[in-house]
């Protein structure tokens, strides 16, 4: 019996809920949503869970009441070799808003793209992986011109933060800026 068959048996025959938070792995600090654990490497289990109507794609990543991370944010942090598939599938889901502000541990609001950019060197994500995720979020409709508590004015908006980057992040951020310009997203849209 394979992993996906075992998962189907647990859900379809034993009544395990696809949105339950009973699942833990060595990397999780609190019991995580079943979809988070499917992102370990298994696209079959991931696809099966996504096919279930009752799956709440906008659910919290784990049952930690202090952490507002959603499944989208778990996909951003995913280090699996299948990370582009997981992130693009969730980010492009019709019920997922990549521009939703989510409060994390410190209470600051951030969108998925701002989370990725603010992670910087703190997460040890290889530059190529970071760029793939950056492009996926742009293609999913991330707004680079949003102002947040972190970037309180247009002068501090995400685009300007990328332009001002120095040190170890400068080269990566210059590539991100080139991608933004190539996609025609650099110009601030007119305000209503």
């Amino acid at each position: 019996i394979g992993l996906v068959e075992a998962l189907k048996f647990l859900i379809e025959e034993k009544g395990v809920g696809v949105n339950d938070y009973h699942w833990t792995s060595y990397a999780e600090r609190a019991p995580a949503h079943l979809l988070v654990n499917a992102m370990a490497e298994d696209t079959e289990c991931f696809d099966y869970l996504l096919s279930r109507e009752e799956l709440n794609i906008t659910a919290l990543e784990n049952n930690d009441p202090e952490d507002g991370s959603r499944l989208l944010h778990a996909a951003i942090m995913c280090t699996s070799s299948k990370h582009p598939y997981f992130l693009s599938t969730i980010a492009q889901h019709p019920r997922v808003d990549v521009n939703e502000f989510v409060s994390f541990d410190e209470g600051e609001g951030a969108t998925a793209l701002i989370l990725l950019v603010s992670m910087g060197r703190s997460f040890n994500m290889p530059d190529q992986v970071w760029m793939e995720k950056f492009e996926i979020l742009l293609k999913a409709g991330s707004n680079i011109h949003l102002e947040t508590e972190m970037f309180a004015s247009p002068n501090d908006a995400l685009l300007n933060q990328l332009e001002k980057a120095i040190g170890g992040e400068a080269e990566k951020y210059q590539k991100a800026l080139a991608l933004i310009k190539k996609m025609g997203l650099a110009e601030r849209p007119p305000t209503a």
Side-chain angles (χ1 to χ4, degrees):
I1 187 166
L3 204 59
V4 75
E5 290 81 15
L7 182 61
K8 284 180 180 180
F9 174 77
L10 288 171
I11 291 171
E12 296 171 12
E13 302 296 325
K14 294 295 183 182
V16 170
V18 296
N19 295 304
D20 289 349
Y21 292 95
H22 298 288
W23 316 102
T24 58
S25 70
Y26 67 91
E28 294 302 320
R29 58 188 181 279
H33 193 283
L34 185 55
L35 192 67
V36 172
N37 288 294
M39 284 187 245
E41 288 290 334
D42 198 301
T43 56
E44 270 190 283
C45 288
F46 180 84
D47 289 339
Y48 169 71
L49 291 170
L50 281 177
S51 75
R52 303 290 301 184
E53 276 186 33
E54 68 270 28
L55 179 77
N56 179 1
I57 195 70
T58 61
L60 293 175
E61 170 186 358
N62 60 54
N63 69 352
D64 180 352
E66 299 294 316
D67 185 359
S69 298
R70 305 227 180 262
L71 296 175
L72 173 65
H73 305 103
I76 290 170
M77 305 298 240
C78 178
T79 57
S80 153
S81 63
K82 310 279 192 290
H83 71 85
Y85 176 73
F86 298 139
L87 180 57
S88 63
T89 302
I90 292 175
Q92 294 175 16
H93 193 282
R95 291 192 319 253
V96 171
D97 178 5
V98 293
N99 293 308
E100 175 187 19
F101 286 92
V102 174
S103 291
F104 297 99
D105 295 326
E106 286 90 38
E108 289 186 333
T111 65
L113 191 62
I114 290 170
L115 172 65
L116 179 65
V117 170
S118 67
M119 284 182 350
R121 283 173 266 161
S122 65
F123 193 62
N124 273 340
M125 187 179 293
D127 287 357
Q128 179 183 347
V129 171
W130 187 93
M131 280 300 300
E132 288 174 8
K133 292 182 179 200
F134 189 83
E135 185 172 3
I136 287 167
L137 291 172
L138 287 179
K139 287 180 176 177
S142 289
N143 183 344
I144 61 168
H145 301 287
L146 284 177
E147 297 169 22
T148 71
E149 294 169 23
M150 263 194 256
F151 308 123
S153 73
N155 294 333
D156 290 331
L158 182 61
L159 191 59
N160 289 343
Q161 293 300 311
L162 292 172
E163 290 170 347
K164 294 177 188 175
I166 57 172
E169 301 299 301
E171 184 179 338
K172 172 172 63 178
Y173 287 174
Q174 289 303 313
K175 289 178 183 177
L177 283 168
L179 178 63
I180 288 168
K181 290 175 183 169
K182 180 180 175 185
M183 293 177 71
L185 301 173
E187 294 301 315
R188 183 177 274 282
T191 55

